[in-house]
Every structure is written in structure tokens, then in C-alpha cells.
Amino acid sequence: MNVSMSAVGFNFEKDQQELITKKLDRIKYAEDLIVDLLVKVKDDKKIIFDVTANFRWGAVAHVSAEDYDFAAALNKVMDVLDQKVKKEKDKIQEK
């Protein structure tokens, strides 16, 4: 799984990057299913996370979340991403 992180409107602090990396461990179980994971963080009064996951079989999952707090926005987006990944994984296992 290739992880690409980008910040729009600000620069990542070291602890922010470490927090994102730590939270991405939640979807480690799907590491072999996801080809690319694009994490875009925008600071526009609110912190906005846009995450796109490209799966091996061509499916794409796009999730986003926003909050005034960096960690809260990250937690929100990880909850939704975790659900999407599980759903895609279950869909493929049924076939």
C-alpha cells in the first residue's frame, strides 16, 4: 500500500504526520487490498480530510471529514474509511 500525504494551506508538523501514520494502522488488515491511499489535508478555518483508497480490483473509495480540531477530523475520517474498506473487502470475499 502506497500512502501519499499532502497538506493544502499549511505544512504538516512532525506530530501531525506521526498521528496520521499511527491512525492508518487501523486499516493494516487491508494492506494487501489497497494499492494507493491518498490523504489530502486542507486547512480552511476547519481541518478537512479527503482520503481516496484505490483497491486492487479497480474500486475506488473516497471519504472526507471536517472538524475544527485536527485529531477529531482524523478520527472521523478513519471511522468512515474503516467501514468503507470492510465493506469492499466483504464484497470481494462474497465473489
Side-chain angles (χ1 to χ4, degrees), residues 20-61:
I20 293 171
T21 306
K22 188 175 135 190
K23 292 290 183 178
L24 287 175
D25 286 345
R26 264 178 75 175
I27 57 168
K28 271 258 197 262
Y29 64 88
E31 208 170 30
D32 57 331
L33 307 176
I34 300 172
V35 179
D36 292 314
L37 191 68
L38 310 168
V39 180
K40 187 170 121 183
V41 186
K42 187 175 177 185
D43 188 2
D44 185 29
K45 293 183 184 171
K46 284 186 177 181
I47 303 293
I48 303 167
F49 275 87
D50 281 317
V51 181
T52 304
N54 297 313
F55 293 93
R56 271 187 311 161
W57 50 91
V60 177

